[in-house]
Amino acid sequence: MELIIQPGPAESARIVADAIVALLKRKPDAVLGLATGSSPLAVYDELVRRHEQGEVSFARARAFLLDEYVGLPADHPQRYRNVIETELVGRVDFADGAVQGPDGLAQDIPAACAAYEEAIAAAGGVDLQILGIGTDGHIAFNEPGSSLASRTRIKTLTRQTRVDNARFFDDDIDKVPTHCLTQGLATIQAARHLVLVATGRHKAEAIHQMVEGPVSAMWPASVLQHHPHVSVLVDPAAAARLQLADYYRETYETKPAWQGL
């Protein structure tokens, strides 16, 4: 796991965008994993800027979303398919139908989850997955206690996650759905490159447990310690609890330029 401590979101966004642009140049039909929430917004803005400058095209790429709320109407602004359309997809040149997400309105939830797993596999798997992390250490909506071998399924959201996400629902927790569909931890682990972005002191404990704590279902993101290619980009506030922060900085500063993210 590579830990990269940057001054703020703009610097992290530049590094992540560099990696995605490089991937699409060597593999124009790459499969991306897209996350929603606050963490990746600067990355998406940077990718849009580079697309507008003619530096990158998504025309042959495909993408899969990490998760989706269950039961939100198709036109709800916080439905993740609509969120990602606003934040990225509608601002670049993805082909129609190239971006898929779990079907939170499916009548048969288990069948929809199985179909989503099959769609990811049929696309050849995810080349680069963007991730955020919750204050309780969840990635996607794999809440504490999630099986480390889990696949796409329905999950009940913790009260903490609903409190955290209430800001997107007029600060009203009662408007936040209680259930979601989410890629499982094993699904996420199958991606070839995982890129996690986190900012703010409120993420510091989760980052510490993910990077330096034991692998445990109580901190689901800690399973990333078992992945061969993980890049974690944090600001100093999110890095505040890291015991080896100086070592991580030295490692990144002395990294060979040719190595990339």
Side-chain angles (χ1 to χ4, degrees):
M1 184 181 294
E2 180 179 33
L3 214 300
I4 303 169
I5 302 172
Q6 290 294 305
E11 293 79 8
S12 292
R14 175 185 57 78
I15 293 169
V16 177
D18 284 346
I20 293 172
V21 170
L23 169 63
L24 290 171
K25 284 184 176 179
R26 68 176 181 269
K27 186 179 181 181
D29 59 349
V31 179
L32 302 176
L34 302 178
T36 51
S38 302
S39 297
L41 290 179
V43 174
Y44 296 152
D45 286 342
E46 179 66 11
L47 288 172
V48 170
R49 185 185 70 80
R50 296 189 188 200
H51 170 70
E52 291 173 344
Q53 293 181 346
E55 185 179 342
V56 64
S57 172
F58 299 83
R60 293 173 56 192
R62 297 187 63 183
F64 291 90
L65 304 188
L66 276 174
D67 41 32
E68 182 61 271
Y69 289 116
V70 170
L72 285 185
D75 61 351
H76 195 287
Q78 290 307 319
R79 189 172 185 239
Y80 283 157
R81 291 194 189 194
N82 299 330
V83 171
I84 204 67
E85 177 72 23
T86 299
E87 292 176 349
L88 177 64
V89 176
R91 302 166 68 194
V92 295
D93 61 341
F94 277 108
D96 290 344
V99 180
Q100 296 178 245
D103 186 0
L105 294 173
Q107 293 297 310
D108 187 337
I109 292 293
C113 292
Y116 197 59
E117 286 281 332
E118 291 168 3
I120 295 173
V126 173
D127 291 296
L128 187 151
Q129 174 67 62
I130 299 172
L131 296 168
I133 187 169
T135 56
D136 59 4
H138 72 251
I139 51 175
F141 274 134
N142 293 283
E143 300 283 26
S146 291
S147 167
L148 302 185
S150 55
R151 291 287 180 172
T152 301
R153 68 213 186 284
I154 190 169
K155 284 292 290 183
T156 301
L157 299 177
T158 64
R159 179 172 179 81
Q160 182 60 58
T161 294
R162 295 179 68 228
V163 167
D164 290 345
N165 286 3
R167 68 189 188 279
F168 300 116
F169 293 84
D170 303 320
D171 290 318
D172 185 351
I173 189 174
D174 292 330
K175 293 182 179 179
V176 183
T178 57
H179 291 82
C180 65
L181 301 186
T182 182
Q183 287 189 30
L185 294 172
T187 311
I188 293 168
Q189 287 284 89
R192 286 176 274 279
H193 184 190
L194 304 177
V195 180
L196 188 146
V197 180
T199 59
R201 184 64 178 82
H202 61 299
K203 298 293 180 72
E205 182 64 21
I207 290 296
H208 165 61
Q209 294 291 343
M210 178 185 75
V211 177
E212 298 176 336
V215 175
S216 167
M218 286 303 296
W219 292 93
S222 64
V223 74
L224 302 190
Q225 293 180 34
H226 287 306
H227 194 283
H229 190 187
V230 181
S231 305
V232 179
L233 296 96
V234 294
D235 67 354
R241 287 274 289 113
L242 292 173
Q243 294 173 277
L244 297 176
D246 289 341
Y247 173 69
Y248 302 138
R249 288 188 177 94
E250 181 181 356
T251 299
Y252 184 68
E253 290 168 0
T254 59
K255 182 178 178 178
W258 53 264
Q259 198 167 359
L261 194 61

